[in-house]
Amino acid sequence: MIPSGARVWLSMGHTDMRKGMQGLALLVQQHLKRDPHGGDLYVFRGRAGSLVKIIWHDGIGMSLYAN
């Protein structure tokens, strides 16, 4: 369950969808200047817009959701 205080950050533009959890977390740190382990959700979309990836750290471990 996602806590009620968690924020959702949407990455503008498109992202290389070959990236996994570590690559996306690195994008969060370098480009958004945010802590990927802070409990917020980070949403990335592919070039065609048909694939979305979300990373989230729940305080125990990082999760990657893809649709």
Side-chain angles (χ1 to χ4, degrees), residues 1-66:
M1 175 74 86
I2 298 170
S4 62
R7 291 188 253 170
V8 178
W9 296 85
L10 302 174
S11 176
M12 301 301 289
H14 62 272
T15 303
D16 181 0
M17 288 290 107
R18 296 175 292 183
K19 293 185 184 298
M21 273 190 288
Q22 291 137 349
L24 295 172
L26 188 61
L27 284 177
V28 170
Q29 287 178 331
Q30 292 179 346
H31 295 278
L32 299 176
K33 307 292 188 223
R34 306 281 309 163
D35 178 14
H37 301 97
D40 294 338
L41 287 90
Y42 298 93
V43 181
F44 303 89
R45 69 179 277 277
R47 181 178 299 272
S50 60
L51 181 61
V52 173
K53 287 187 176 180
I54 302 169
I55 60 169
W56 174 53
H57 194 279
D58 64 358
I60 298 172
M62 179 135 340
S63 299
L64 172 68
Y65 303 95

